[in-house]
Amino acid sequence: MTKRSHFLWATSAVAAFAAVLTTAPANALVGTPTTTGLNFVAKINVGDKTSCTGSLVAEQWVLTAASCFTGAGISTTGKPALPTKVTVGRSDLTQTGGSVQSALALVPHAERDLVLVRLSERITGPAITPVPLASSPAADGEQLTKAGFGRTRTEWVPTKLHAGTFTVASRTDTTVNLNGSDTATVCQGDAGGPALRTVDGSPQLVSVTSRSWQGGCLGVDPAETRTGAVDTRVDDLAGWVKEVVAREKVTPADIDGDGKDDLVLQRIDGSVVVHRNLGTSFGPGTVMSSGWGRFVTGTDLGRLYFADVTGDNKADLIVHTNDGNIAVRKNMGTYFDGGTHWSTGWGRFLTGTDLGRLYFADITGDNKADLIVHTNDGNIAVRKNMGTYFDGGTHWSTGWGRYLTGSDQGRLRFGDTTGDGKADMYVHTIQNGEVAVRTNMGTYFNGGTRMITL
């Protein structure tokens, strides 16, 4: 076995000794046990044979190395293929405290050895706080603190978090090369752990452990003396983290038919959860449907909408698939039924970036949601709800070509502002922050009235 054979991807901490020569987790080490200041560091157990380290970067999200799940895999719905337990805020695993949760979903980065792990519940309060991502890259010669629950020089499965100091040797556009020492080596089980800098007394996440040579780690060939590691940069990924966290889409809709909008949450794990409007608060969530993990953004299999299509005052589930079909799944009180086909030909209307965008609202005042078609030529047409399908449509407004995505001049919404039972058109213009309402006049929307400046 050559020395080079120990430079391995930081994938999984398995119990078998032979696995040390075929896989290598990353991160911390043959370092010093630590119990303070790193309450965001997580121990991740994938199945019963693999463990890694991660960092809480948002209330319900832990960032780690995607290679931690190599072999275990990610299911087609985005869920872990094996049961995954995440322990956050417990530096000594033999003690109590912190938060122990199941991982519900995995969102890998498209180009880097990174994955965001969605926890089953949010972690809030001062005891455990997310670590912010650094806004500037690691500098040559900079010293960073790495932490992890991985193997040490003498312990096969440590129970305490360890930390050590590494020095930045160089970096690329996506990685950071680090030099360790006799007392700081990345070992099995440390994959995905943080490399941190301190700014004004607080830690910032600069990079995430990806792979190492493991010199000095228990079970590694004593001839291997290299203690360096390669991390994945995260200082330029705050936007990606924010986008993933925001994917859990919230839609107001009256699900129980009491005349008050409830909160409908599309979770990234594919479930549709309803928090009922209790008047002064929203109740605990109840799952009404599942299997929609690839319908959150509209860029994958499709998009979901919630509106009363059947006229019973309860919002139904409208499924717009990327083959262009629209199906209505009727609200049955505690679940949505299997659905019926209502319309076709809308494959290029999912995101607003192609031919246009669709909306659903009661335009005609018959208590049933109609189909509103906003095409990229700026026209707005209304296709009337005919009970089992939407008709061919009539033209209602024009000039809205730059309001499709919200990234140009603004966005459009539809809701009943006047209280006459017919949805009006809300115009939110980005440049001046104004929200104007164009009243539904029966066959068109009027010139509008400014309602508020945001």
Short mmCIF file of all heavy atoms in Angstrom, two decimals, residues 269-320:
data_model
loop_
_atom_site.label_atom_id
_atom_site.label_comp_id
_atom_site.label_asym_id
_atom_site.label_seq_id
_atom_site.Cartn_x
_atom_site.Cartn_y
_atom_site.Cartn_z
N ASP A 269 -39.62 17.64 2.28
CA ASP A 269 -39.69 16.17 2.32
C ASP A 269 -40.87 15.64 1.52
O ASP A 269 -41.08 14.43 1.46
CB ASP A 269 -39.75 15.67 3.77
CG ASP A 269 -41.02 16.08 4.49
OD1 ASP A 269 -41.87 16.77 3.88
OD2 ASP A 269 -41.16 15.74 5.68
N GLY A 270 -41.64 16.55 0.90
CA GLY A 270 -42.73 16.12 0.03
C GLY A 270 -44.10 16.13 0.65
O GLY A 270 -45.09 15.88 -0.04
N SER A 271 -44.20 16.42 1.94
CA SER A 271 -45.50 16.43 2.59
C SER A 271 -46.18 17.79 2.47
O SER A 271 -45.51 18.82 2.39
CB SER A 271 -45.37 16.04 4.07
OG SER A 271 -44.51 16.93 4.74
N VAL A 272 -47.51 17.77 2.44
CA VAL A 272 -48.32 18.98 2.47
C VAL A 272 -48.96 19.04 3.85
O VAL A 272 -49.76 18.18 4.21
CB VAL A 272 -49.40 18.96 1.37
CG1 VAL A 272 -50.33 20.15 1.53
CG2 VAL A 272 -48.75 18.98 -0.01
N VAL A 273 -48.57 20.05 4.62
CA VAL A 273 -48.98 20.15 6.02
C VAL A 273 -49.86 21.38 6.19
O VAL A 273 -49.51 22.47 5.72
CB VAL A 273 -47.75 20.25 6.94
CG1 VAL A 273 -48.18 20.38 8.39
CG2 VAL A 273 -46.85 19.03 6.76
N VAL A 274 -50.99 21.23 6.86
CA VAL A 274 -51.93 22.33 7.07
C VAL A 274 -51.91 22.75 8.54
O VAL A 274 -52.10 21.92 9.44
CB VAL A 274 -53.35 21.91 6.67
CG1 VAL A 274 -54.35 23.04 6.98
CG2 VAL A 274 -53.41 21.55 5.19
N HIS A 275 -51.65 24.04 8.76
CA HIS A 275 -51.75 24.64 10.09
C HIS A 275 -53.05 25.47 10.11
O HIS A 275 -53.14 26.51 9.45
CB HIS A 275 -50.54 25.54 10.38
CG HIS A 275 -49.25 24.78 10.48
ND1 HIS A 275 -48.73 24.38 11.68
CD2 HIS A 275 -48.39 24.34 9.53
CE1 HIS A 275 -47.60 23.73 11.47
NE2 HIS A 275 -47.37 23.69 10.17
N ARG A 276 -54.03 25.02 10.85
CA ARG A 276 -55.35 25.65 10.79
C ARG A 276 -55.37 26.98 11.54
O ARG A 276 -54.74 27.16 12.57
CB ARG A 276 -56.40 24.68 11.35
CG ARG A 276 -56.46 23.41 10.53
CD ARG A 276 -57.60 22.51 10.90
NE ARG A 276 -57.50 21.25 10.16
CZ ARG A 276 -57.91 21.07 8.91
NH1 ARG A 276 -58.46 22.06 8.26
NH2 ARG A 276 -57.76 19.90 8.32
N ASN A 277 -56.13 27.90 10.97
CA ASN A 277 -56.28 29.24 11.53
C ASN A 277 -57.21 29.16 12.74
O ASN A 277 -58.39 28.85 12.62
CB ASN A 277 -56.88 30.16 10.46
CG ASN A 277 -56.94 31.60 10.88
OD1 ASN A 277 -57.03 31.92 12.07
ND2 ASN A 277 -56.90 32.49 9.91
N LEU A 278 -56.64 29.46 13.93
CA LEU A 278 -57.42 29.41 15.17
C LEU A 278 -57.91 30.77 15.62
O LEU A 278 -58.43 30.92 16.72
CB LEU A 278 -56.57 28.77 16.27
CG LEU A 278 -56.04 27.37 15.98
CD1 LEU A 278 -55.19 26.87 17.14
CD2 LEU A 278 -57.15 26.39 15.65
N GLY A 279 -57.73 31.77 14.78
CA GLY A 279 -58.19 33.12 15.11
C GLY A 279 -57.08 34.02 15.58
O GLY A 279 -56.87 35.10 15.03
N THR A 280 -56.34 33.58 16.59
CA THR A 280 -55.22 34.38 17.10
C THR A 280 -53.89 33.67 16.91
O THR A 280 -52.83 34.21 17.24
CB THR A 280 -55.40 34.69 18.60
OG1 THR A 280 -55.52 33.47 19.32
CG2 THR A 280 -56.65 35.54 18.82
N SER A 281 -53.93 32.46 16.40
CA SER A 281 -52.72 31.69 16.14
C SER A 281 -53.04 30.59 15.14
O SER A 281 -54.20 30.38 14.78
CB SER A 281 -52.17 31.08 17.44
OG SER A 281 -53.10 30.13 17.96
N PHE A 282 -51.99 29.91 14.68
CA PHE A 282 -52.18 28.76 13.80
C PHE A 282 -51.89 27.49 14.59
O PHE A 282 -50.93 27.43 15.37
CB PHE A 282 -51.26 28.86 12.58
CG PHE A 282 -51.65 29.95 11.63
CD1 PHE A 282 -51.00 31.17 11.66
CD2 PHE A 282 -52.68 29.77 10.72
CE1 PHE A 282 -51.37 32.19 10.81
CE2 PHE A 282 -53.06 30.79 9.86
CZ PHE A 282 -52.40 32.01 9.90
N GLY A 283 -52.70 26.49 14.40
CA GLY A 283 -52.58 25.25 15.16
C GLY A 283 -51.43 24.39 14.69
O GLY A 283 -50.72 24.72 13.74
N PRO A 284 -51.25 23.26 15.36
CA PRO A 284 -50.19 22.33 14.95
C PRO A 284 -50.48 21.76 13.57
O PRO A 284 -51.63 21.68 13.14
CB PRO A 284 -50.25 21.23 16.03
CG PRO A 284 -51.62 21.33 16.60
CD PRO A 284 -52.00 22.78 16.53
N GLY A 285 -49.44 21.39 12.89
CA GLY A 285 -49.60 20.93 11.52
C GLY A 285 -50.15 19.51 11.42
O GLY A 285 -49.83 18.65 12.24
N THR A 286 -50.98 19.31 10.41
CA THR A 286 -51.47 17.97 10.09
C THR A 286 -51.17 17.69 8.62
O THR A 286 -51.36 18.55 7.76
CB THR A 286 -52.99 17.85 10.33
OG1 THR A 286 -53.68 18.84 9.56
CG2 THR A 286 -53.32 18.04 11.79
N VAL A 287 -50.69 16.49 8.35
CA VAL A 287 -50.32 16.12 6.99
C VAL A 287 -51.57 15.70 6.22
O VAL A 287 -52.31 14.81 6.65
CB VAL A 287 -49.30 14.97 7.00
CG1 VAL A 287 -48.97 14.55 5.56
CG2 VAL A 287 -48.03 15.39 7.72
N MET A 288 -51.81 16.35 5.07
CA MET A 288 -52.96 16.01 4.24
C MET A 288 -52.56 15.28 2.96
O MET A 288 -53.41 14.70 2.29
CB MET A 288 -53.77 17.25 3.90
CG MET A 288 -54.59 17.77 5.07
SD MET A 288 -55.78 19.06 4.63
CE MET A 288 -56.91 18.23 3.51
N SER A 289 -51.27 15.33 2.61
CA SER A 289 -50.81 14.65 1.41
C SER A 289 -49.30 14.50 1.49
O SER A 289 -48.64 15.19 2.28
CB SER A 289 -51.21 15.43 0.15
OG SER A 289 -51.01 14.66 -1.01
N SER A 290 -48.75 13.62 0.69
CA SER A 290 -47.29 13.43 0.69
C SER A 290 -46.84 13.01 -0.70
O SER A 290 -47.65 12.71 -1.58
CB SER A 290 -46.89 12.36 1.72
OG SER A 290 -47.52 11.12 1.43
N GLY A 291 -45.52 13.01 -0.89
CA GLY A 291 -44.96 12.61 -2.17
C GLY A 291 -44.70 13.74 -3.13
O GLY A 291 -44.45 13.51 -4.32
N TRP A 292 -44.69 15.00 -2.64
CA TRP A 292 -44.57 16.16 -3.51
C TRP A 292 -43.22 16.87 -3.37
O TRP A 292 -43.11 18.06 -3.60
CB TRP A 292 -45.71 17.14 -3.22
CG TRP A 292 -47.07 16.50 -3.32
CD1 TRP A 292 -47.88 16.13 -2.29
CD2 TRP A 292 -47.76 16.15 -4.52
NE1 TRP A 292 -49.03 15.57 -2.77
CE2 TRP A 292 -48.99 15.56 -4.14
CE3 TRP A 292 -47.45 16.26 -5.88
CZ2 TRP A 292 -49.91 15.09 -5.07
CZ3 TRP A 292 -48.38 15.79 -6.80
CH2 TRP A 292 -49.59 15.22 -6.40
N GLY A 293 -42.18 16.14 -2.98
CA GLY A 293 -40.88 16.75 -2.77
C GLY A 293 -40.28 17.39 -4.00
O GLY A 293 -39.44 18.29 -3.89
N ARG A 294 -40.70 16.98 -5.17
CA ARG A 294 -40.14 17.53 -6.41
C ARG A 294 -41.11 18.50 -7.08
O ARG A 294 -41.03 18.75 -8.28
CB ARG A 294 -39.77 16.38 -7.35
CG ARG A 294 -38.70 15.46 -6.75
CD ARG A 294 -38.40 14.26 -7.61
NE ARG A 294 -37.75 14.63 -8.86
CZ ARG A 294 -37.41 13.76 -9.82
NH1 ARG A 294 -37.69 12.47 -9.65
NH2 ARG A 294 -36.83 14.16 -10.93
N PHE A 295 -42.02 19.06 -6.27
CA PHE A 295 -43.01 20.01 -6.77
C PHE A 295 -42.95 21.35 -6.05
O PHE A 295 -43.90 22.11 -6.07
CB PHE A 295 -44.42 19.43 -6.62
CG PHE A 295 -44.78 18.38 -7.63
CD1 PHE A 295 -44.25 17.10 -7.55
CD2 PHE A 295 -45.63 18.66 -8.68
CE1 PHE A 295 -44.58 16.13 -8.47
CE2 PHE A 295 -45.97 17.71 -9.62
CZ PHE A 295 -45.44 16.42 -9.52
N VAL A 296 -41.83 21.65 -5.40
CA VAL A 296 -41.76 22.86 -4.58
C VAL A 296 -41.42 24.09 -5.40
O VAL A 296 -42.02 25.15 -5.22
CB VAL A 296 -40.74 22.68 -3.43
CG1 VAL A 296 -40.64 23.96 -2.60
CG2 VAL A 296 -41.17 21.52 -2.53
N THR A 297 -40.48 23.98 -6.30
CA THR A 297 -40.00 25.16 -7.02
C THR A 297 -40.60 25.32 -8.41
O THR A 297 -40.51 26.40 -9.00
CB THR A 297 -38.47 25.11 -7.17
OG1 THR A 297 -38.12 24.00 -8.00
CG2 THR A 297 -37.81 24.96 -5.81
N GLY A 298 -41.16 24.25 -8.96
CA GLY A 298 -41.66 24.29 -10.33
C GLY A 298 -40.61 23.96 -11.36
O GLY A 298 -40.91 23.85 -12.55
N THR A 299 -39.35 23.80 -10.93
CA THR A 299 -38.27 23.53 -11.88
C THR A 299 -38.01 22.05 -12.08
O THR A 299 -37.15 21.68 -12.88
CB THR A 299 -36.97 24.22 -11.41
OG1 THR A 299 -36.64 23.71 -10.11
CG2 THR A 299 -37.14 25.72 -11.35
N ASP A 300 -38.73 21.19 -11.38
CA ASP A 300 -38.48 19.75 -11.46
C ASP A 300 -39.70 19.06 -12.07
O ASP A 300 -39.95 19.17 -13.27
CB ASP A 300 -38.15 19.22 -10.07
CG ASP A 300 -37.59 17.82 -10.06
OD1 ASP A 300 -37.52 17.19 -11.13
OD2 ASP A 300 -37.21 17.34 -8.98
N LEU A 301 -40.49 18.38 -11.27
CA LEU A 301 -41.63 17.63 -11.82
C LEU A 301 -42.88 18.46 -11.98
O LEU A 301 -43.79 18.08 -12.71
CB LEU A 301 -41.94 16.42 -10.93
CG LEU A 301 -40.90 15.31 -10.90
CD1 LEU A 301 -41.42 14.11 -10.12
CD2 LEU A 301 -40.52 14.87 -12.32
N GLY A 302 -42.94 19.60 -11.30
CA GLY A 302 -44.14 20.42 -11.44
C GLY A 302 -44.32 21.39 -10.30
O GLY A 302 -43.39 21.70 -9.56
N ARG A 303 -45.56 21.87 -10.15
CA ARG A 303 -45.89 22.88 -9.14
C ARG A 303 -47.29 22.58 -8.58
O ARG A 303 -48.14 22.04 -9.27
CB ARG A 303 -45.87 24.27 -9.79
CG ARG A 303 -46.21 25.42 -8.85
CD ARG A 303 -46.18 26.75 -9.58
NE ARG A 303 -44.85 27.13 -9.98
CZ ARG A 303 -43.97 27.75 -9.20
NH1 ARG A 303 -44.28 28.04 -7.96
NH2 ARG A 303 -42.78 28.08 -9.64
N LEU A 304 -47.47 22.93 -7.30
CA LEU A 304 -48.77 22.77 -6.65
C LEU A 304 -49.41 24.13 -6.40
O LEU A 304 -48.72 25.12 -6.16
CB LEU A 304 -48.62 22.05 -5.31
CG LEU A 304 -47.95 20.68 -5.30
CD1 LEU A 304 -48.00 20.08 -3.90
CD2 LEU A 304 -48.59 19.73 -6.32
N TYR A 305 -50.74 24.16 -6.45
CA TYR A 305 -51.53 25.35 -6.11
C TYR A 305 -52.65 24.90 -5.17
O TYR A 305 -53.04 23.74 -5.15
CB TYR A 305 -52.15 25.99 -7.35
CG TYR A 305 -51.21 26.23 -8.50
CD1 TYR A 305 -50.89 25.21 -9.39
CD2 TYR A 305 -50.65 27.49 -8.74
CE1 TYR A 305 -50.04 25.42 -10.47
CE2 TYR A 305 -49.80 27.71 -9.82
CZ TYR A 305 -49.50 26.67 -10.67
OH TYR A 305 -48.66 26.88 -11.74
N PHE A 306 -53.20 25.86 -4.43
CA PHE A 306 -54.30 25.56 -3.51
C PHE A 306 -55.40 26.60 -3.71
O PHE A 306 -55.19 27.79 -3.49
CB PHE A 306 -53.81 25.56 -2.06
CG PHE A 306 -52.74 24.53 -1.82
CD1 PHE A 306 -51.41 24.84 -2.01
CD2 PHE A 306 -53.09 23.25 -1.42
CE1 PHE A 306 -50.42 23.89 -1.81
CE2 PHE A 306 -52.11 22.28 -1.22
CZ PHE A 306 -50.77 22.61 -1.42
N ALA A 307 -56.56 26.15 -4.16
CA ALA A 307 -57.70 27.05 -4.39
C ALA A 307 -58.97 26.20 -4.44
O ALA A 307 -58.92 25.00 -4.76
CB ALA A 307 -57.52 27.82 -5.71
N ASP A 308 -60.11 26.83 -4.14
CA ASP A 308 -61.38 26.11 -4.14
C ASP A 308 -61.89 25.98 -5.57
O ASP A 308 -62.45 26.92 -6.14
CB ASP A 308 -62.40 26.86 -3.28
CG ASP A 308 -63.76 26.17 -3.25
OD1 ASP A 308 -63.85 25.01 -3.70
OD2 ASP A 308 -64.72 26.80 -2.77
N VAL A 309 -61.70 24.82 -6.15
CA VAL A 309 -62.13 24.56 -7.52
C VAL A 309 -63.55 24.01 -7.56
O VAL A 309 -64.31 24.26 -8.50
CB VAL A 309 -61.15 23.59 -8.21
CG1 VAL A 309 -61.63 23.23 -9.61
CG2 VAL A 309 -59.76 24.21 -8.27
N THR A 310 -63.95 23.29 -6.54
CA THR A 310 -65.25 22.60 -6.57
C THR A 310 -66.40 23.43 -6.04
O THR A 310 -67.56 23.04 -6.19
CB THR A 310 -65.15 21.30 -5.74
OG1 THR A 310 -64.82 21.65 -4.38
CG2 THR A 310 -64.09 20.38 -6.30
N GLY A 311 -66.12 24.55 -5.39
CA GLY A 311 -67.18 25.42 -4.91
C GLY A 311 -67.78 25.04 -3.57
O GLY A 311 -68.88 25.48 -3.23
N ASP A 312 -67.05 24.25 -2.76
CA ASP A 312 -67.56 23.87 -1.44
C ASP A 312 -66.93 24.70 -0.32
O ASP A 312 -67.04 24.36 0.85
CB ASP A 312 -67.33 22.39 -1.18
CG ASP A 312 -65.85 22.00 -1.17
OD1 ASP A 312 -65.00 22.89 -1.41
OD2 ASP A 312 -65.54 20.82 -0.93
N ASN A 313 -66.23 25.77 -0.70
CA ASN A 313 -65.57 26.70 0.23
C ASN A 313 -64.29 26.16 0.84
O ASN A 313 -63.70 26.81 1.71
CB ASN A 313 -66.53 27.14 1.35
CG ASN A 313 -67.70 27.92 0.83
OD1 ASN A 313 -67.55 28.79 -0.03
ND2 ASN A 313 -68.89 27.60 1.33
N LYS A 314 -63.85 25.00 0.41
CA LYS A 314 -62.61 24.43 0.92
C LYS A 314 -61.59 24.32 -0.22
O LYS A 314 -61.91 23.79 -1.30
CB LYS A 314 -62.85 23.05 1.54
CG LYS A 314 -63.79 23.07 2.73
CD LYS A 314 -63.93 21.69 3.35
CE LYS A 314 -64.66 20.75 2.45
NZ LYS A 314 -64.89 19.43 3.08
N ALA A 315 -60.37 24.82 0.01
CA ALA A 315 -59.35 24.82 -1.05
C ALA A 315 -58.97 23.40 -1.42
O ALA A 315 -58.73 22.54 -0.57
CB ALA A 315 -58.13 25.60 -0.59
N ASP A 316 -58.90 23.16 -2.71
CA ASP A 316 -58.47 21.88 -3.25
C ASP A 316 -56.99 21.96 -3.64
O ASP A 316 -56.39 23.04 -3.68
CB ASP A 316 -59.32 21.53 -4.47
CG ASP A 316 -60.81 21.56 -4.15
OD1 ASP A 316 -61.25 20.73 -3.35
OD2 ASP A 316 -61.51 22.45 -4.67
N LEU A 317 -56.41 20.80 -3.94
CA LEU A 317 -55.01 20.73 -4.38
C LEU A 317 -54.99 20.64 -5.91
O LEU A 317 -55.57 19.72 -6.49
CB LEU A 317 -54.34 19.51 -3.76
CG LEU A 317 -52.96 19.10 -4.28
CD1 LEU A 317 -51.95 20.23 -4.10
CD2 LEU A 317 -52.47 17.83 -3.58
N ILE A 318 -54.32 21.59 -6.54
CA ILE A 318 -54.20 21.63 -7.99
C ILE A 318 -52.77 21.24 -8.36
O ILE A 318 -51.81 21.85 -7.89
CB ILE A 318 -54.53 23.02 -8.54
CG1 ILE A 318 -55.93 23.45 -8.07
CG2 ILE A 318 -54.45 23.03 -10.07
CD1 ILE A 318 -56.19 24.93 -8.26
N VAL A 319 -52.63 20.21 -9.18
CA VAL A 319 -51.32 19.67 -9.54
C VAL A 319 -51.01 20.03 -10.99
O VAL A 319 -51.72 19.61 -11.91
CB VAL A 319 -51.28 18.15 -9.35
CG1 VAL A 319 -49.88 17.62 -9.67
CG2 VAL A 319 -51.68 17.77 -7.92
N HIS A 320 -49.96 20.79 -11.18
CA HIS A 320 -49.51 21.22 -12.51
C HIS A 320 -48.20 20.51 -12.81
O HIS A 320 -47.15 20.86 -12.27
CB HIS A 320 -49.32 22.75 -12.48
CG HIS A 320 -48.85 23.35 -13.75
ND1 HIS A 320 -48.50 24.69 -13.84
CD2 HIS A 320 -48.66 22.85 -14.99
CE1 HIS A 320 -48.11 24.97 -15.06
NE2 HIS A 320 -48.20 23.86 -15.78
#
